[in-house]
Amino acid sequence: MTRADADRLLASAARRAWAPLAVAAVADIVATAAALALPAVLAAAVDGVLSGQGGQTAWQLALVLAAAVCAEVVGVPAGAASTASATSALRLRLTAHLLTLGAAGTRRHPAGELANRLVSNTASTGYLPLTLLGTATGLVTSAGGVVALLMTDWRAGIAFLAAAPIALIIVRTFVTRVSGLYGRYQEAQGRLATRLTDALAGIRTVRASGTAGREIARVLAPLADLSSAGRALWRAQARGVWQIALLPLVELLVLAVAGFGVTDGRLEPGQLLAVAGYTALGLTFIEQVDGLMGLAHARSAARRVGEVLALPSPVPGTRPLSAGPGALSLRGVTVTREGTPLLDGVDLEIPAGALTALVGRSGAGKTTLALLAGRLMDPDRGQVLLDGQRLTDIRPDALRGAVAYAFERPVLLGGDLASAIAYGRPELDRDAVRRAARAAHVDEVVCRLPDGYRTPADTAPLSGGELQRLGLARALVRRARLTILDDATSSLDTVTEAQVTRTLLEGMRGSTRLVIAHRTTTAARADLVVWLDDGRIRAQGTHRTLWRDPSYRALFASGTGPADAGPADAHPTDAGPADGGPADTHPTGTESTGGGPDCAGPAGGGSPGTEETCPARL
């Protein structure tokens, strides 16, 4: 991101905080006027006292001091409000943009890096409007002090102007030196935040591996760069401090010239006091070093925020989704990341109402295809269509209502468990939520909790499989024309998976289902199996037909339990959804209780009396 882009972002932040910033600006104008008037009023008061007429200027001095106090009382909270408004606007804008990027966009930066930019960098950028206002006010005050100094004693003014360029060179050199150091410091902060986030996400693995010490060393590795950049900043500030400390010599020179004016009778004693005051005001531009450092810091932070905002987000469609049975089409779809094709020229027709299983080794492109199917990402080339309409043309709200997802690691949002199941559909009633929970065979699990469906989702004591079933319930409750299960049954035991599969087969008839499958039981029951290999469709057909290929059988030969092998492995020609195979020989024991989202009571996988005994119902 260029500096011009960063400056435009900073200007946008200032516009969002214009109301409190305007109040702060008025307060600063009043404070500046009071500061410029004070030396003259003090000079008049001193001369009045010396001449015996001091009472005439007392009210003027009181008025100036009162104006300065009022400006401070009003300006400080207004400045804080402007900073809060600018920071809030930036964070809302960045958050909204992140949520529109989709899965592909958010992978451009690690989660810890994004968190650092959202929290730290937006705060630094949000301070800029007030910093700019303070800098501008300081420069106006400095210029006004120089003009007043020339009007009070032109000789003292000339002395000031002769020495001022030295001060300007010192300040400019200092600001230039520290500007680049802020970027280094913030980049090191981002790397540290990224590694810490990764470590916290994998804390169980760290504990189980006994590698806490090594992980601490890895997380803290960027501290060397952070320390180096911080020390460089301190050294730059130290050099700047002693150089700026020479600037009082300018004030000493001016006062010497004015002092000779008093001894020569050219200036009154009060005017000497005015010269001292205006010289101090003239040197206030030196105090803006902090403001200029803040500007450098904010511009560096704005570039980091702008880099995320510059990531292209999918253009939302504008057309409604026409009625249809849920046929999904991929035509010439290609997705490439860092030069590696994830999908390469995929053409696929998924029939409406069919249960389609995606199979393939890790990295074959299954998840990428699943993300494309509901426009959680867009292809680099090609088109994805739902019932003949391009997904890019459909309005987001219409598309979200037609496509439901269940993920391998679902995150429960919305508050309690009932809200988590109904997430995105707050109008759903209790019965709809419980029917979906029964269909996913998780109702009994929820009802065993003390608070039932009112249990906070973030504290519910759930296993990985139970969490996945809640994610399934969240997908089932939407009653979408296309439901996509992205490895959403990987943590289920074989009995529960068979029950859920029966729900997909019988309880969701008429709805198109796309399932990433790793077990023969799921593939065997599918109407269509799509075999992906290195981003391309290697074959498609029924499980029974594909089973004749040894390479296809090898997909299920490792990483599956004995229940998944079954007769399908021994008699591959007998396996398939039409005539049983591994699906029918699966030792479920309770498969007959499977049901769909509309089933209730015992038929949905619950037990008699569940409706009455479940505590804290919704």
Side-chain angles (χ1 to χ4, degrees):
M1 187 179 188
T2 65
R3 289 187 176 184
D5 294 331
D7 290 342
R8 281 192 288 271
L9 180 61
L10 294 172
S12 172
R15 286 194 297 270
R16 297 297 182 91
W18 70 269
L21 195 61
V23 175
V26 171
D28 280 358
I29 290 172
V30 173
T32 298
L36 291 173
L38 186 59
V41 173
L42 283 174
V46 170
D47 289 338
V49 169
L50 294 177
S51 64
Q53 300 178 352
Q56 297 179 0
T57 59
W59 67 272
Q60 296 176 346
L61 182 60
L63 181 62
V64 170
L65 293 175
V69 171
C70 290
E72 184 77 10
V73 170
V74 173
V76 170
S82 71
T83 297
S85 297
T87 302
S88 174
L90 276 173
R91 286 176 176 168
L92 287 173
R93 180 180 173 186
L94 185 58
T95 300
H97 187 70
L98 286 172
L99 293 178
T100 62
L101 285 178
T106 53
R107 290 172 182 167
R108 302 291 181 87
H109 297 285
E113 179 70 29
L114 291 174
N116 179 259
R117 299 188 189 208
L118 180 63
V119 177
S120 177
N121 295 155
T122 53
S124 299
T125 306
Y127 273 108
L128 183 75
L130 187 63
T131 300
L132 284 176
L133 177 61
T135 301
T137 302
L139 294 176
V140 169
T141 302
S142 182
V146 173
V147 171
L149 179 61
L150 289 168
M151 294 177 63
T152 302
D153 181 22
W154 66 269
R155 293 179 180 83
I158 293 298
F160 181 91
L161 293 176
I166 300 175
L168 288 173
I169 292 173
I170 293 174
V171 171
R172 185 179 183 278
T173 302
F174 175 70
V175 172
T176 302
R177 186 182 298 124
V178 301
S179 295
L181 296 175
Y182 277 120
R184 285 177 50 197
Y185 192 84
Q186 290 171 338
E187 288 173 3
Q189 279 185 320
R191 292 196 300 273
L192 184 64
T194 297
R195 296 187 179 207
L196 179 59
T197 302
D198 293 341
L200 292 176
I203 190 66
R204 290 183 299 178
T205 301
V206 174
R207 291 291 302 276
S209 303
T211 57
R214 188 168 60 193
E215 192 63 21
I216 290 172
R218 186 190 71 85
V219 170
L220 298 182
L223 276 180
D225 293 336
L226 190 69
S227 176
S228 176
R231 291 176 184 275
L233 277 171
W234 295 337
R235 286 193 296 270
Q237 291 173 352
R239 287 194 296 269
V241 166
W242 78 260
Q243 291 170 349
I244 293 172
L246 298 176
L247 298 179
L249 296 176
V250 177
E251 190 172 8
L252 181 62
L253 174 62
V254 174
L255 289 176
V257 173
F260 284 118
V262 173
T263 58
D264 293 343
R266 179 169 47 85
L267 296 177
E268 298 293 331
Q271 289 179 304
L272 177 62
L273 184 61
V275 166
Y278 287 128
T279 301
L281 291 177
L283 289 173
T284 53
F285 72 88
I286 299 171
E287 298 176 3
Q288 304 316 306
V289 170
D290 288 340
L292 295 174
M293 289 175 60
L295 174 60
H297 193 182
R299 292 182 73 182
S300 175
R303 283 196 293 272
R304 290 169 56 79
V305 173
E307 286 173 357
V308 180
L309 292 175
L311 294 176
S313 58
V315 178
T318 58
R319 297 180 181 178
L321 177 61
S322 58
L328 181 68
S329 303
L330 283 79
R331 298 175 182 173
V333 168
T334 297
V335 177
T336 304
R337 289 293 176 268
E338 299 180 356
T340 301
L342 304 182
L343 291 176
D344 188 5
V346 171
D347 291 298
L348 178 62
E349 296 292 333
I350 295 179
L355 172 60
T356 300
L358 293 178
V359 301
R361 298 189 183 278
S362 177
K366 303 185 298 297
T367 294
T368 300
L369 195 151
L371 293 175
L372 291 170
R375 209 194 172 192
L376 296 187
M377 65 183 297
D378 286 335
D380 298 319
R381 292 191 301 275
Q383 296 179 349
V384 183
L385 302 93
L386 181 61
D387 290 320
Q389 278 187 274
R390 292 181 300 183
L391 298 190
T392 52
D393 293 337
I394 303 172
R395 289 201 320 263
D397 59 332
L399 185 59
R400 295 282 76 84
V403 182
Y405 273 94
F407 299 102
E408 178 184 9
R409 297 182 180 89
V411 177
L412 301 182
L413 305 172
D416 58 21
L417 293 180
S419 300
I421 294 174
Y423 188 70
R425 297 287 303 277
E427 75 280 2
L428 293 175
D429 59 16
R430 175 190 66 181
D431 293 335
V433 170
R434 295 207 65 193
R435 282 197 299 270
R438 289 193 185 100
H441 297 273
V442 75
D443 179 67
E444 284 187 331
V445 173
V446 175
C447 288
R448 284 198 300 266
L449 299 174
D451 294 324
Y453 283 89
R454 292 182 181 174
T455 302
D458 57 350
T459 61
L462 300 172
S463 68
E466 291 165 347
L467 190 63
Q468 279 195 340
R469 279 182 273 169
L470 281 169
L472 286 168
R474 182 171 59 192
L476 296 175
V477 80
R478 301 183 71 87
R479 300 180 59 81
R481 72 173 74 174
L482 172 61
T483 301
I484 302 167
L485 277 67
D486 184 1
D487 215 4
T489 60
S490 59
S491 295
L492 302 185
D493 59 82
T494 54
V495 173
T496 305
E497 187 195 23
Q499 294 170 340
V500 171
T501 302
R502 180 63 64 87
T503 296
L504 295 176
L505 283 169
E506 299 180 358
M508 299 182 66
R509 290 192 184 278
S511 172
T512 306
R513 293 138 291 166
L514 182 62
V515 181
I516 292 180
H518 292 283
R519 295 178 177 175
T520 55
T521 51
T522 305
R525 286 175 166 174
D527 301 307
L528 173 67
V529 177
V530 178
W531 179 11
L532 289 173
D533 189 17
D534 289 334
R536 297 183 178 183
I537 296 179
R538 180 164 175 175
Q540 56 181 308
T542 64
H543 176 74
R544 177 181 181 179
T545 301
L546 295 177
W547 193 261
R548 300 188 181 101
D549 189 327
S551 297
Y552 179 79
R553 293 199 299 271
L555 294 176
F556 306 98
S558 61
T560 57
D564 288 322
D569 290 344
H571 307 286
T573 58
D574 294 333
D579 58 354
D584 288 347
T585 58
H586 202 295
T588 59
T590 57
E591 276 191 321
S592 61
T593 63
D598 293 325
C599 65
S607 56
T610 301
E611 180 69 29
E612 288 73 25
T613 60
C614 186
R617 296 191 302 271
L618 304 188

